[in-house]
């Protein structure tokens, strides 16, 4: 982890939307759900297997999540300790989970026949979770979305011809229309996670030796889109994938994906609001045969590590084609919830601490309550030594059972000028033990 002090000296980049609830919440659920739950081998299956709309149509015709009950999903999220959720209204395959008026390529026209978004928002909000929408900028189904380097038909022999009839402005209009529709139907929407931009770069060539064609802010009409959104909902938070990095009101938070940053994310000398998005197993959509599932402990470590660096964790579930969270996801959520029940004080409202944590530990800090949380990733024998807290230390306890952790100033057996915590020999029986330290005012 990078040096704590120097990062915290940097100013925090202000957000245009309201980020106060977001940095308080710290832990959210991402949900990737759509037709790709049926092939169950990655949400990019249409791209990887170069499937045409016709090839992909069988998933539309067989989409019937008969066990879908968002009340069960919302319970699983709330019990895991999550405070908001972000659902894919549309992913790159173009399939819409809500009853939009702007296309027939939507859930209400599948055998399932019902809108999935409205009851989901109701269920999660009734448990106090905030709502966000992930909305794909990319659309591999729309007839006016030009075939580019990411498109399933990128290697089609008639690629040029296919593009001749495509009018990009029509797609832009469709994109804006759908966003307007969503914002109008969901005025309390807290955030939009647009995904993603891959602008063409001059001089870059594709495998055929032709200019590499991507898409960016001009294709999305990002400036206008942002203007419309800010007008319709001034509170809303926007992610950073609209390809307008230099425009202050075009994004509120950064979205590092599938990696843990070294420290607090910064841009041009400012700390930014940020959120790591992570998966249980690698893919975002339901992937039956994936065997790379992270353990509960690893996932908790990601959450703690993220908050210790001043960020949020958005952890993804890919529900099945029957409409359920599969047993592996439920197992991980349950395990995290078990820990969160007793340790969420070290997560909610917490951020990077202004102290350097000891080896094999992570600090988080709640500036409102003035408490420091020491997460002990590897339980030492007998003593844990803390630097820089002598004037601030008031009281310490294990967070799981509020049992006192005694301390001495100085080292007990060897020379040390800091504080030595006297630990029980046995680690508390929790995934990651936390010591709550009450600080005196600075
Ligand atoms: C991506 C992927 C994707 C996923 C997402 C989550 O860039 O295209 O499938 O939805 O990021 O951050």
């Amino acid at each position: 982890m990078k040096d704590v002090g120097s990062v915290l000296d940097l100013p925090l980049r202000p957000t245009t939307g309201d980020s106060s609830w977001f940095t308080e919440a710290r832990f959210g659920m991402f949900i990737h759900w759509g037709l790709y739950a049926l092939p169950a081998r990655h949400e990019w299956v249409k791209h990887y297997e170069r499937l045409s709309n016709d090839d992909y149509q069988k998933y539309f015709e067989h989409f019937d999540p008969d066990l879908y009950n968002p009340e069960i999903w919302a319970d699983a999220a709330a019990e895991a300790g999550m405070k908001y959720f972000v659902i894919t209204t549309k992913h790159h395959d173009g399939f819409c989970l809500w009853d939009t008026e702007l296309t027939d390529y939507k859930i209400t026209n599948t055998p399932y026949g019902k809108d999935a978004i409205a009851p989901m928002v109701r269920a999660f909000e009734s448990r106090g979770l905030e709502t966000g929408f992930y909305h794909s900028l990319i659309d591999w189904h729309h007839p006016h979305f030009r075939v580019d380097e990411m498109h399933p038909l990128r290697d089609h022999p008639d690629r040029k011809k296919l593009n001749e009839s495509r009018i990009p402005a029509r797609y832009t209009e469709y994109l804006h229309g759908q966003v307007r529709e969503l914002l109008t139907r969901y005025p309390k929407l807290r955030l939009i996670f647009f995904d993603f931009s891959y602008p063409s770069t001059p001089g870059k060539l594709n495998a055929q030796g032709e200019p590499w064609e991507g898409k960016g802010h001009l294709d999305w009409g990002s400036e206008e889109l942002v203007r419309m959104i800010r007008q319709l909902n001034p509170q809303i938070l926007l992610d950073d994938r609209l390809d307008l990095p230099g425009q202050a009101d075009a994004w509120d938070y950064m979205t590092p994906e599938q990696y843990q940053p070294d420290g607090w994310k910064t841009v041009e000398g400012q700390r930014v609001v940020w959120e790591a998005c992570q998966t249980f197993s690698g893919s975002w959509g339901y992937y039956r045969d994936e065997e790379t599932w992270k353990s509960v402990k690893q996932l908790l470590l990601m959450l703690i590590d993220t908050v210790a660096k001043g960020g949020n964790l958005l952890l993804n579930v890919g529900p099945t084609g029957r409409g359920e969270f599969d047993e592996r996801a439920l197992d991980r959520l349950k395990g995290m919830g078990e820990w969160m029940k007793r340790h969420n004080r070290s997560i909610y409202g917490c951020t990077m601490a202004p102290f350097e944590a000891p080896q094999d530990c992570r600090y988080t800090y709640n500036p409102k309550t003035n408490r420091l949380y020491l997460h002990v990733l590897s339980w030492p024998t007998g003593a844990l030594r803390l630097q820089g807290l002598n004037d601030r230390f008031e009281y310490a306890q294990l967070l799981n059972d509020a049992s006192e952790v005694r301390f001495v100033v100085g080292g007990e057996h060897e020379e040390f000028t800091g504080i030595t915590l006297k630990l029980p020999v046995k680690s508390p029986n929790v995934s990651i033990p936390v010591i709550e330290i009450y600080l005196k005012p600075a």
Side-chain angles (χ1 to χ4, degrees), residues 30 32 43-44 91-92 134 193 195-196 241 257 277 284:
F30 216 170
H32 277 66
E43 76 283 357
W44 275 58
H91 203 260
H92 307 336
Y134 165 107
F193 190 124
D195 191 40
F196 61 79
R241 299 186 181 185
E257 177 179 326
C277 49
W284 300 86

